[in-house]
Amino acid sequence: MALIDLAQAAGRAPARTLWTREDARRIYDLPFADLMFEAQTVHRRTFDPNRVQMSKLLSIKTGGCPEDCGYCSQSARMPGEKLKASKLMEVERVLAEARKAKEGGATRYCMGAAWRSPKERDMDMVVAMVEGVKALGMETCMTLGMLSPEQALRLKDAGLDYYNHNLDTSERYYSEIITTRTFADRLETLDNVRSAGMKVCAGGILGMGETVDDRIDMLVTLANMDEAPESVPINMLIPIPGTKLENAETIDALDFVRTIALARIMMPESHVRLSAGRTEMSDETQALCFLAGANSIFCGETLLTADNPGEDHDAKLFRRLGIEPEELDPLG
Ligand code: SAM
Ligand code: DTB
Ligand code: SF4
């Protein structure tokens, strides 16, 4: 496969390869069995194929968001009926929820806020949440919108392990979905997160009317970062009534699986998370996603505002597939 040798171009070692859309597309278009074989081969080099990492989400501040993301139930700018905006949740309540999630097998606790970016006055509470969850012995993750370099450093110092900030789609398609910030803004926050020394969680959504090339371009951007994100959430759009995308055409399940396989092959060391949309997916589609190299999920009954399959359903599916939850690596 002809990949560009970046190190050669820059005249420095170690050699590193950059993905091109054409190379990625060739893999995406392989006969399905060949694609699955390739994905499994890559997956097994780094991971135990029968282990899946479990994260739990909590919305610490819901609704009333000033951004206009066309898929989101929490945008104050969506055309239809809006969710009631809540205040930032009390720290003790967040910690009580995190304890429950730990008992349910989650190793990472992800806290999300419907903000464009955190306000300085909220930072003390957010920091207390990170410290409290960390003290429970869980990994911590937050998704609070755009971060300045200073905010990223403050969260890192508090013990935040991961920051989630999705590209959502390709650069080309981005402005069709969101107009209140740019693709470049997203990259800048990811840069601030990485420079502060945190692990990066960045992925996107499939099924928003994008083309196959848009999906591929998004993965190319992620895989070509100086360091690929450690965590790559791939969401299937949950069509929310009242949003701009409520009637978006559903993505073909096998196209979804192909995109997961491509993410696995392009980012062999990353956890690929089968994120939103599992409630709307058959068990068989989920099984194919795990076979394609997905090795992380959100557990529990709710995501941020939408439904998730819940503990009983997932425990049964894991039993049927012989999958065990991944344990926390004591060496981090
Ligand atoms: N406000 C923060 C931000 O946007 O950066 C964090 C929360 S936001 C809800 C996190 C991500 O969830 C979005 O970037 C998007 O990828 C995903 N998401 C939101 N609504 C979704 C939906 N209806 N279906 C699938 N994924 C969704
Ligand atoms: C991600 O990629 N998916 C999660 C998390 N990062 C924050 C959010 C999914 C949200 C699904 C819609 C909802 O619950 O409102
Ligand atoms: Fe706000 Fe995040 Fe929803 Fe966009 S995705 S409207 S930034 S909560």
Side-chain angles (χ1 to χ4, degrees):
M1 190 174 301
L3 296 176
I4 299 165
D5 190 330
L6 228 204
Q8 233 177 17
R12 64 182 157 79
R16 185 174 170 252
T17 50
L18 267 193
W19 284 92
T20 64
R21 181 202 281 179
E22 292 67 35
D23 288 330
R25 179 87 207 205
R26 255 195 297 279
I27 295 175
Y28 182 93
D29 285 334
L30 282 172
F32 193 73
D34 294 345
L35 178 61
M36 288 296 110
F37 180 72
E38 195 61 39
Q40 267 289 305
T41 307
V42 169
H43 190 49
R44 283 164 185 262
R45 264 185 224 138
T46 313
F47 295 107
D48 177 341
N50 305 312
R51 292 234 174 222
V52 168
Q53 190 276 333
M54 304 224 287
S55 294
K56 178 76 178 76
L57 267 173
L58 175 72
S59 180
I60 59 172
K61 195 269 167 206
T62 308
C65 184
E67 304 290 278
D68 72 349
C69 311
Y71 48 77
C72 187
S73 63
Q74 307 197 65
S75 168
R77 297 171 188 247
M78 63 191 255
E81 204 181 317
K82 292 158 199 39
L83 270 182
K84 204 171 153 276
S86 75
K87 286 207 300 204
L88 183 57
M89 201 182 268
E90 292 299 330
V91 177
E92 273 317 314
R93 250 189 86 195
V94 173
L95 298 186
E97 292 296 325
R99 270 181 221 108
K100 278 193 247 165
K102 190 178 174 188
E103 281 160 24
T107 56
R108 189 177 311 155
Y109 203 60
C110 308
M111 294 157 269
W115 288 329
R116 175 173 167 83
S117 59
K119 300 237 167 24
E120 279 319 301
R121 62 165 190 265
D122 293 321
M123 284 301 283
D124 286 348
M125 265 171 86
V126 163
V127 160
M129 290 173 196
V130 175
E131 290 169 346
V133 173
K134 196 84 190 142
L136 298 176
M138 298 179 87
E139 288 182 317
T140 50
C141 177
M142 282 194 156
T143 178
L144 315 172
M146 295 188 275
L147 288 188
S148 67
E150 295 73 27
Q151 288 175 325
L153 278 172
R154 188 140 182 238
L155 291 172
K156 165 71 187 166
D157 285 346
L160 189 62
D161 297 302
Y162 289 81
Y163 195 78
N164 165 250
H165 202 62
N166 289 341
L167 295 183
D168 283 340
T169 189
S170 68
E171 183 168 15
R172 184 197 70 83
Y173 198 54
Y174 195 85
S175 59
E176 302 281 326
I177 305 294
I178 302 151
T179 68
T180 49
R181 51 172 153 65
T182 63
F183 194 76
D185 290 331
R186 285 313 252 192
L187 292 176
E188 191 178 317
T189 290
L190 290 175
D191 214 34
N192 294 339
V193 169
R194 184 57 90 196
S195 302
M198 284 183 283
K199 292 184 190 156
V200 171
C201 173
I205 309 179
L206 310 183
M208 301 195 293
E210 73 285 347
T211 62
V212 170
D213 279 339
D214 287 318
R215 293 172 200 149
I216 289 176
D217 285 352
M218 177 180 86
L219 294 182
V220 165
T221 305
L222 293 169
N224 284 350
M225 288 177 168
D226 286 344
E227 271 182 90
E230 284 80 0
S231 164
V232 181
I234 305 292
N235 298 277
M236 184 183 272
L237 177 74
I238 302 178
I240 311 261
T243 59
K244 205 169 85 178
L245 291 173
E246 67 174 320
N247 295 317
E249 200 185 322
T250 315
I251 180 177
D252 174 76
L254 294 181
D255 286 347
F256 187 85
V257 175
R258 279 183 180 277
T259 312
I260 296 262
L262 185 61
R264 163 51 60 230
I265 292 165
M266 292 172 75
M267 292 172 275
E269 318 245 296
S270 308
H271 275 82
V272 175
R273 180 173 310 117
L274 178 55
S275 301
R278 291 197 301 116
T279 303
E280 295 73 14
M281 240 176 248
S282 70
D283 286 353
E284 291 76 12
T285 299
Q286 292 191 59
L288 282 176
C289 289
F290 295 132
L291 200 63
N295 60 346
S296 173
I297 58 164
F298 286 120
C299 57
E301 306 279 334
T302 19
L303 294 159
L304 290 172
T305 68
D307 289 345
N308 199 45
E311 212 177 301
D312 292 349
H313 189 107
D314 284 341
K316 197 165 157 222
L317 179 61
F318 276 22
R319 261 199 313 277
R320 287 169 76 203
L321 299 175
I323 290 176
E324 302 266 357
E326 187 182 282
E327 280 158 25
L328 213 50
D329 178 357
L331 301 173

